[in-house]
Amino acid sequence: MSGAGPEPSDPAGRVIGIDAAGKRGWAAVLVDEAGFVDAEVGTLETVIAWAEPISVIAVDIPIDVTDVMSQRVGMTGVTD
């Protein structure tokens, strides 16, 4: 991981994937057409600024499937 950020290339192919990193903030992985570029940990604002220019930001958001299923059962009475 580098603190200065990766060397910018064509933003059209640059994607950053972000996931929670506990007390350290957010873990970000930057990829481009060639594959892995670099990774960084920090606040959401700092990891996005570090990765720019980028065309896509993908954030892992947990979805509680059990909650979705209980809503479906409540609405339809169907339990599959």
Side-chain angles (χ1 to χ4, degrees):
M1 293 190 294
S2 66
E7 191 65 32
S9 62
D10 180 12
R14 290 168 57 98
V15 176
I16 183 175
I18 302 172
D19 199 356
K23 294 179 181 181
R24 298 206 47 182
W26 297 89
V29 175
L30 179 64
V31 296
D32 64 12
E33 296 92 356
F36 176 80
V37 175
D38 205 353
E40 188 63 74
V41 175
T43 67
L44 194 55
E45 182 179 11
T46 60
V47 296
I48 292 171
W50 158 85
E52 290 181 333
I54 49 180
S55 61
V56 175
I57 300 171
V59 180
D60 181 19
I61 300 173
I63 299 173
D64 187 351
V65 177
T66 57
D67 186 45
V68 171
M69 290 305 294
S70 68
Q71 289 175 4
R72 180 174 178 212
V73 170
M75 290 187 298
T76 65
V78 177
T79 61
D80 289 336

